[in-house]
Each structure stands twice: as C-alpha cells, then as structure tokens.
Amino acid sequence: MRIDVVSIFPEYLAALDLSLIGKARRDGVLDIHIHDLREATTDRHRTVDDTPYGGGAGMVMKPEPWAQALSAVLADAPAPRPMLVVPSPAGAVFDQAMAYELAELDHLVFACGRYEGIDERAIDWAREEFDVRPVSLGDYVLNGGEVAVLAMVEAVGRLIPGVVGNPASLVEESHADGLLEYPVYTKPSSWRGRDIPEVLLSGNHARIAQWRRLEQLRRTAERRPDLLARLDTGALSDAEREVLRAGGSAPDGKGN
Ligand code: 6GU
C-alpha cells in the first residue's frame, strides 16, 4: 500500500518510523511518503494560511498550496483516483469498519489541516482527481490532523498482510466482532493476593471460549452500551441474554 501525508509539520509523522509500521516501511510492505506543504508555496514567507472571508477567529489554509502539493502527489501516484482522507472534527467518525475499507485500497493520501481548516474550494477541486473522505477521530477537537493521521495509519496499516506478525491477533481483539475485548492475564496465576479466573486454568477450551464471550458482552454492556444496538440478538444463548439483561454488572457487582 502507498500512503502520502501532506502536513506543515512533517516531523510529527516521524513516529511512522517506529514499531510495526516502521518495520513494514523498511520491509517495503508500506510505501509511506511525508510531504511538507510549505514546499508547495512560492512566496518568500512560504504562506499557507490567511484570514477567513466572513470574519471570525483563526486562520484558514489557502487553496493553492494544497492544489500544488496534491498535484505533485498525483504525478507520482501508482494508479488513478487515490483516496484523499481529510482529517477534520467535521468528518464522518473513523471506526474499525472504515479501517477495513481503507485497508483494501492501493493508495491513501492524507491532507493534514491546521488552524480552522482548509479552504473548501481546495477540497472540491480535489474531488476531480481523488475520492475524498473527511474523517474525524471522534467528538473532540485537535489542533490539526497530524495526530489523527498517526492513529489512522496505524489502524489501517496493521490490517495490511505482513504488518502484524501473527494475523490471528487481528481476529481476537476489541471491535473485530463489534464487541470489546475480554480481559487478559499472564503469569503468575496468583499476584499480590489476586488470582486469575479459575476457568483459564481448566484446559477446557470450550468453557474458556464461552467465558471470554460472556466477558466481552459484560464489558460492552458496561462501557459501550451503544455498540450493543448492532448486535444480532437472535443469535444469543440464555447466558448471554442474562449478561445483557443485567446491564453488564459483574456477578460480584464490581464490573470490570
Ligand atoms: Cl481527524 N482532526 C482534528 N483537527 N480534530 C479532530 C479530529 C481530526 N478528530 C477529532 N478531532
């Protein structure tokens, strides 16, 4: 997969050299290019922003540097119509389903806005050559798109074959099946007076799977009841229904 990121703070994206994403880059699995938007300016001050028409606080990113920068990316693109992801608190909310969708594509381009955003005409202009998706990480405001791009590249990149060493770890994790992950434990089995749930020592894989499934439902009901609306309730066992009826409260009443 090819990924281009355009930003006025290219150093922010240095984190993409680290860990599994960094290794995937070095292995040639992810072809990631970081571009400085200011390189696409022509004035002495390398201006990328100006005051908003209609008034109001803050500054707006000028359209021409974006057109120049995105045209340069297109000139080097492996295929026509890359996906242009525009990080914005005014975008559609990024989730695991969107990560899976983006992971199927050959070429993603991220346009990191700062200030109050990018002149809307630059976005409209880009629609002629890109599929454009304004995307938000959630309902809060960041100062710019860079942190959001780090999150999105990691979420999408780890779904590309060869990025995560053991593909099985992609199956049993939060959101893979629309539920939160079950709690996990490692050695020692007794630590500071706290024992792991005995079922995990039983060696009974069916019982363990059943326990984990109930814990997933319990946690989801407790922490993210909004996710349960998408659950196929026709396919639930009696024990699973009971966990949901109890609203995610654990048998000991503590939740977890
Ligand atoms: Cl993607 N960008 C910015 N600037 N703020 C955000 C966001 C993105 N997602 C949530 N808040």
Side-chain angles (χ1 to χ4, degrees):
M1 167 181 273
R2 163 117 178 196
I3 297 175
D4 290 84
V5 184
V6 183
S7 163
I8 58 167
F9 293 120
E11 304 95 324
Y12 239 117
L13 287 309
L16 297 177
D17 284 334
L18 305 176
S19 191
L20 292 183
I21 300 295
K23 174 149 196 311
R25 285 179 88 170
R26 292 187 291 278
D27 291 348
V29 176
L30 294 177
D31 182 22
I32 304 182
H33 300 249
I34 311 297
H35 311 272
D36 185 347
L37 179 69
R38 289 193 200 278
E39 298 291 322
T41 60
T42 51
D43 65 308
R44 200 163 58 87
H45 299 290
R46 311 222 291 171
T47 312
V48 294
D49 63 332
D50 207 333
T51 54
Y53 277 115
M59 300 290 272
V60 173
M61 295 191 103
K62 295 165 66 65
E64 185 59 21
W66 279 108
Q68 294 292 340
L70 294 175
S71 293
V73 169
L74 280 175
D76 198 31
R81 297 201 72 77
M83 176 67 74
L84 179 66
V85 177
V86 185
S88 163
V93 175
F94 184 77
D95 63 5
Q96 191 65 25
M98 196 187 293
Y100 285 122
E101 271 180 56
L102 297 181
E104 294 295 318
L105 306 178
D106 294 326
H107 190 190
L108 303 179
V109 182
F110 292 90
C112 297
R114 283 260 146 187
Y115 318 115
E116 299 308 306
I118 302 171
D119 186 309
E120 194 66 24
R121 294 168 298 178
I123 310 297
D124 289 337
W125 168 87
R127 288 183 209 280
E128 293 178 14
E129 307 274 1
F130 295 82
D131 292 327
V132 177
R133 285 179 89 160
V135 178
S136 168
L137 283 198
D139 295 335
Y140 46 84
V141 178
L142 304 171
N143 286 334
E146 287 79 6
V147 166
V149 168
L150 291 177
M152 289 189 272
V153 169
E154 183 154 317
V156 172
R158 64 194 296 284
L159 300 177
I160 307 293
V163 175
V164 169
N166 178 6
S169 49
L170 299 181
V171 178
E172 294 187 23
E173 63 186 9
S174 288
H175 302 294
D177 56 3
L179 295 174
L180 303 186
E181 185 53 295
Y182 49 78
V184 295
Y185 303 89
T186 187
K187 292 172 275 298
S189 62
S190 184
W191 175 78
R192 298 195 180 198
R194 296 162 193 270
D195 296 342
I196 66 168
E198 68 82 23
V199 61
L200 298 178
L201 294 169
S202 70
N204 183 331
H205 298 297
R207 259 189 81 211
I208 291 171
Q210 190 179 33
W211 178 84
R212 285 177 167 169
R213 167 86 180 166
L214 289 177
E215 289 300 311
Q216 282 193 277
L217 288 165
R218 199 189 313 285
R219 265 196 174 174
T220 307
E222 169 96 10
R223 301 177 184 176
R224 292 293 308 279
D226 57 299
L227 295 180
L228 295 175
R230 292 183 239 167
L231 202 64
D232 175 10
T233 49
L236 295 179
S237 70
D238 288 350
E240 291 170 346
R241 277 174 211 287
E242 176 54 26
V243 163
L244 296 187
R245 201 196 52 75
S249 56
D252 62 5
K254 282 190 300 219
N256 50 44

